[in-house]
Every structure is written in structure tokens, then in C-alpha cells.
Amino acid sequence: MENKEFFAALTDLVREKGINEEAFIETLENALTAAYKKQYDGGAEVSVSLDAEKGRIEFQATRYVVEEVVDKDREISLEDAQELNPDHQVGDVIVKTFVPKDFGRIAAQTAKQVILQKLHEAERDSTFSAFSDKEGELMEGTIRKIDDKNVYVELADKKVEGVMPPQDRVPTEKYAVGDKIKVFVKRVKNSGRNSQILVSRSAAGLVRKLFEQQVPEIAQGIVEIKEIAREAGHRTKMAIVSNDERVDPVGACVGNRGARVNAVVEELGGEKIDIILWNEDPLAFIYKALSPATVLSVTSRGERSAMAIVPDEKLSLAIGRDGQNARLAARLTGWKIDVKSASSPEAAEVLAAMEAEEEYEDETVETEQE
């Protein structure tokens, strides 16, 4: 069954759309085989092969040589087989090429469906490939649909859809179809029909990218964001450092009259943001990380564990509501932090030892001066 025009059109389509020709032909063969079986409702073992070089579509029926025929669609008796070829024996496989009658219209419809499917897949794969370098970026989109599990966001002029699962939503935010929204592209997963772009509003990366937009010094690498700890919708702690001693990193992030940080806070729906100076000394870093509380002392208690002492009246502030401030400080620094009030027995002992040490140092200095 020759159709050179059909194959020429397929070749042009493959070249124009960047479709994998081998996979395309295989899909089309399988579809034509299924269409034949559906049309003729037979139990014969039929396969369809496409020979692009010869421009032919070949239908092949396979039957097995047996002593006694049970399934006439799949089997042929030894006697009948030997009429075709005297050398045939039981167990041989006979493949017969044939051209089905009145199958042209069915074949054309099937080919059209496969082509449309492949075009859709090619466009989807192309879009996802273009998005592969968007992972970790900030994008704007429009909420298209909301169901019990996910929020679906149209991205890139409606060419692709991002999925925001429950864990990536902010508990204090309300979402509605049609809302314009900024999302962090968390992951681009390109795996055929299961291709998916996962986006987030709760990721710490969203805060990082928002500050990169608002603070030129961060975008230029002058100010560096070292760590971010976030409980979305409530509070974020961000540790920064300046790579240029002439630039105040906190001032750069806050901006004139708080313009820069306020823009980020507004985008995050009023989420509190603590901007903290990073310090390579972990104990000094913990001092800053417990902001806005005043810290009297931080001492090491073993491997990546420390005790922070705060004034009695600042204890609740240092710990935070439901332990949030201390928890974020621990995540930011990577240390376990035990917050104690100055009047607690353990803290009082440490402070007394520190005071005694300071008095000893003062006495030593006075003796040396004398």
C-alpha cells in the first residue's frame, strides 16, 4: 500500500516540528494496528509497519503452523501450510503481507489523530525544555484553577501551567481564580505526560528573589544573602554580608525610609522580616539571629549546641510565639539554641562566672599598670 505523498508530508512535519521520527513512526504503527483490529473486529495477529524509504504501509498477518487448528485467525494446519510451502513444519511462523479493503479512510483518521497528538507533545516538550533553565527563578502568572489539592497558575503568556501543591501555599494567603501572582519556580519535571512545573509561594527562594529584584547590590553580588530561614506568612530571618566594606548591607536591604524591605513585605502580605548581619563566628551569629531580643551571653554547650542568655523581661521575645523566633534562629545558624532567662539557675551560674572573669581581668590590668 504505497502513499509517497503521505510519507513526504510526515517527513516535512518531523523536520519542521522537531519530532523524533523513530518514536513518531512507532506510535503511528501501533495506532494503525489498533485501528485495524477495531475496524475488522478480528482475532488475527496483525501488525502494521511503515517503510518511509519505500513510501509503503505494510499490513502483516501472523499465523502459527499446528497439527490441529483451534484458533483459525491465528493458526494454520500443517496440511494447508505445506500447500503454501512444502518445507513448512509444525511450530513455523507464517507472515503474510496484505492490503485491507476500504481501510484508507480509517487509516487517514488515525494518522491525523496521531499527528495532532504528537504535535501537542512536541509543543509541550519544547515549552518544558525552554523552562528547564527557569528552575529557581521568580515568575509572574495568573491563577487559572483551584481544586481541593492544588492551585494552578498560568505562566509565560498562558503557554504553560505551574502547579502549587498545599505545602507550597502560604497559610495566611487567600487565592482566587484570576489573581495575578508572583511564584518561585521550585522544580521543572519533564517526563512525558507527567511533565510538571512546581511553583511555590512558601519557599525561602521566593524571599531571596524578591530581594534580588528590590536591591541592586544583591543582584550585583556586592551584598550576599548567606542564609534564609522562613515560616511563610509569619516571619523570615535573612542573614546577609557585604563583600565591599564601603557598603552597609543592612542599609542596602532596608532602603531609603524602608522602601526596599517594605516592598518585599507588601508582596509577602505583611510577613515580618528580620535582616541580620552574618558572622563566621557561630556564637556571634547566634547573638544577631535572636533579634529582635537583647542577648546577654552565648556559650557553646558541645557540638553545634549553644545556650543563649537573655534578660528576664526579654525571654518571651527571644523565644517568640510558639517558639518561632528561637526556632528560626536555630534554622538560620544551623545550631541548637537553648534560650535561658538571666535569673535561671544555669544562666545565673554562667553570668557569675563571666563577671568573676571580667573582674580578674580588670585586676590584672591594674596590677600591670602599677
Side-chain angles (χ1 to χ4, degrees):
M1 182 173 165
E2 291 192 12
N3 194 326
K4 293 185 177 180
E5 291 182 358
F6 172 75
F7 280 100
L10 285 186
T11 301
D12 290 341
L13 186 65
V14 165
R15 186 185 305 113
E16 180 184 345
K17 298 298 183 180
I19 300 172
N20 183 295
E21 183 174 6
E22 185 177 339
F24 187 24
I25 293 297
E26 182 182 353
T27 302
L28 191 51
E29 287 174 343
N30 293 336
L32 287 170
T33 299
Y36 174 85
K37 291 179 178 179
K38 182 178 180 181
Q39 173 73 7
Y40 295 100
D41 194 26
E45 191 169 312
V46 174
S47 62
V48 181
S49 63
L50 278 66
D51 189 333
E53 291 184 4
K54 295 180 180 179
R56 290 180 59 84
I57 303 176
E58 293 185 345
F59 291 78
Q60 296 175 329
T62 301
R63 290 194 293 177
Y64 302 90
V65 180
V66 295
E67 287 282 2
E68 184 178 349
V69 175
V70 176
D71 184 348
K72 65 179 182 178
D73 289 320
R74 295 171 179 266
E75 297 171 343
I76 184 172
S77 68
L78 178 60
E79 182 180 351
D80 290 342
Q82 288 181 339
E83 287 184 6
L84 300 173
N85 186 336
D87 294 332
H88 278 314
Q89 300 293 326
V90 172
D92 285 355
V93 177
I94 298 176
V95 179
K96 179 183 177 182
T97 300
F98 69 101
V99 177
K101 296 180 180 179
D102 304 323
F103 190 63
R105 182 176 60 83
I106 302 298
Q109 290 177 347
T110 302
K112 180 180 179 181
Q113 291 173 355
V114 172
I115 289 170
L116 290 175
Q117 175 191 344
K118 283 296 179 183
L119 285 175
H120 176 71
E121 290 177 0
E123 183 177 355
R124 181 197 62 207
D125 290 345
S126 175
T127 302
F128 273 87
S129 295
F131 259 75
S132 61
D133 62 346
K134 298 295 184 183
E135 201 167 280
E137 294 296 321
L138 188 68
M139 296 196 71
E140 292 188 6
T142 305
I143 296 177
R144 184 187 68 82
K145 184 179 75 170
I146 301 172
D147 61 24
D148 293 338
K149 292 184 177 181
N150 303 312
V151 175
Y152 300 88
V153 184
E154 290 178 339
L155 305 169
D157 298 325
K158 301 182 181 180
K159 290 183 179 179
V160 71
E161 183 178 76
V163 180
M164 185 162 60
Q167 64 269 26
D168 285 295
R169 302 185 207 178
V170 177
T172 57
E173 290 182 342
K174 293 183 179 180
Y175 306 102
V177 173
D179 283 355
K180 300 291 183 182
I181 189 172
K182 287 184 179 180
V183 293
F184 178 73
V185 181
K186 195 173 179 180
R187 184 183 175 196
V188 178
K189 183 174 67 173
N190 192 358
S191 54
R193 292 184 177 181
N194 294 321
S195 296
Q196 204 174 49
I197 296 175
L198 296 177
V199 298
S200 177
R201 283 284 297 174
S202 66
L206 177 69
V207 178
R208 181 184 294 272
K209 289 300 175 180
L210 288 172
F211 270 101
E212 285 182 5
Q213 280 190 345
Q214 294 295 328
V215 184
E217 292 86 347
I218 292 178
Q220 296 163 9
I222 299 171
V223 173
E224 182 182 352
I225 299 174
K226 299 292 284 188
E227 298 288 346
I228 296 178
R230 185 184 185 203
E231 292 194 0
H234 301 288
R235 195 177 209 102
T236 287
K237 287 183 180 289
M238 183 175 74
I240 57 172
V241 67
S242 177
N243 294 318
D244 185 337
E245 60 183 14
R246 296 169 299 179
V247 176
D248 170 21
V250 175
C253 291
V254 171
N256 185 30
R257 296 184 180 179
R260 292 174 176 177
V261 70
N262 286 341
V264 176
V265 169
E266 183 178 355
E267 173 62 34
L268 298 178
E271 185 174 316
K272 293 181 175 63
I273 299 178
D274 297 334
I275 301 174
I276 296 159
L277 278 175
W278 179 81
N279 196 310
E280 61 182 10
D281 179 346
L283 300 184
F285 189 19
I286 291 171
Y287 262 101
K288 298 292 185 181
L290 285 168
S291 172
T294 302
V295 179
L296 301 175
S297 168
V298 178
T299 54
S300 177
R301 303 182 69 180
E303 186 177 355
R304 303 190 76 81
S305 179
M307 179 175 68
I309 301 173
V310 300
D312 290 6
E313 67 276 11
K314 299 294 184 182
L315 180 62
S316 60
L317 182 62
I319 294 175
R321 180 179 295 179
D322 298 323
Q324 184 186 78
N325 194 61
R327 185 167 57 248
L328 284 173
R331 284 168 49 191
L332 188 73
T333 60
W335 278 57
K336 180 181 178 181
I337 305 172
D338 189 9
V339 181
K340 299 286 186 181
S341 64
S343 62
S344 67
E346 193 174 358
E349 184 179 336
V350 171
L351 292 176
M354 289 175 58
E355 187 176 347
E357 186 177 344
E358 289 176 1
E359 289 177 358
Y360 173 76
E361 289 176 354
D362 290 343
E363 289 176 2
T364 302
V365 170
E366 289 177 5
T367 301
E368 289 176 351
Q369 289 176 346
E370 291 175 0

